[in-house]
Amino acid sequence: LILIFTTIIPLLVISIMLNLIVSTYFKKLILKISKYLHSIYPKDFKMKNSYERVYVLAVVFISSTFGYFYLDYLGYFLESALIDLIYVSIMFQIIIALIISIKWKISLHMLGIGGLVGTMGALHMNYGGLFEVISLSILASGILGMVRIYQGSHNCSQVYIGFCVGFIFQLGFIYSLFA
């Protein structure tokens, strides 16, 4: 439990912040290029169609890959194979979302929070002591799912599939480390 709060969580926060900074920069760059050329997707940040997400997800995957190699260069993955596995599993989730987005729109918000619940579940099964965190994560995912449906951004199946893909993939991927 001490390992989780002293090493894993701070490194995850650093990697997520690095990923957000890099991917936000590239998203803005892609939007500027697409407005200039008028032929490249996406046309706005709402990305109402599934095919508009493919370009953004590809950029997020590329920036995540650079972030992974940068953190590896800094030596963060030498401390824990778990952090390495969590990061790689997130990159695989981005690939899965990209493949699904070619034909169908999936809730990326729910994919992310489902991955969080799955990660916390796998850590709880192996280390224990995360019941409250899991409970709050499930509550937050329910609220997020309701908001996405209420806003009209997704239908119920897109929300459920997004959560289930994130949850099952992360839980299985991380739990396999301990099997």
Side-chain angles (χ1 to χ4, degrees):
L1 189 62
I2 293 173
L3 174 71
I4 292 171
F5 289 110
T6 59
T7 305
I8 295 173
I9 292 178
L11 289 176
L12 282 176
V13 169
I14 290 170
S15 66
I16 289 169
M17 288 174 53
L18 178 66
N19 187 20
L20 286 174
I21 291 168
V22 172
S23 64
T24 301
Y25 172 74
F26 282 116
K27 282 181 195 175
K28 289 179 181 178
L29 180 64
I30 283 181
L31 286 175
K32 286 180 182 177
I33 291 170
S34 67
K35 286 180 181 178
Y36 178 72
L37 298 177
H38 300 296
S39 63
I40 299 175
Y41 295 105
K43 297 197 183 305
D44 61 12
F45 276 114
K46 293 189 181 188
M47 295 182 284
K48 293 180 182 179
N49 299 317
S50 63
Y51 58 84
E52 292 180 326
R53 298 164 161 238
V54 173
Y55 294 101
V56 173
L57 286 169
V59 169
V60 169
F61 175 73
I62 290 167
S63 65
S64 297
T65 304
F66 284 126
Y68 173 82
F69 287 116
Y70 182 69
L71 289 174
D72 187 38
Y73 171 76
L74 294 177
Y76 283 114
F77 299 138
L78 297 175
E79 296 178 23
S80 174
L82 179 62
I83 297 169
D84 187 15
L85 187 66
I86 290 172
Y87 205 99
V88 169
S89 64
I90 291 170
M91 289 174 25
F92 275 114
Q93 272 191 329
I94 294 169
I95 291 173
I96 290 171
L98 193 145
I99 292 168
I100 292 172
S101 293
I102 292 171
K103 295 286 183 188
W104 195 57
K105 187 176 175 185
I106 188 172
S107 174
L108 299 176
H109 289 85
M110 294 307 291
L111 183 85
I113 203 160
L116 171 70
V117 174
T119 300
M120 293 298 132
L123 293 175
H124 180 70
M125 285 190 278
N126 291 292
Y127 296 116
L130 294 174
F131 181 76
E132 293 84 9
V133 175
I134 293 171
S135 299
L136 289 174
S137 299
I138 291 172
L139 178 66
S141 66
I143 292 169
L144 178 63
M146 288 188 318
V147 167
R148 299 302 292 166
I149 293 168
Y150 178 75
Q151 287 179 335
S153 301
H154 297 286
N155 59 36
C156 290
S157 62
Q158 294 168 339
V159 168
Y160 294 143
I161 296 295
F163 181 84
C164 289
V165 167
F167 176 78
I168 292 168
F169 193 82
Q170 286 295 108
L171 182 72
F173 211 88
I174 294 170
Y175 191 71
S176 69
L177 175 70
F178 301 106

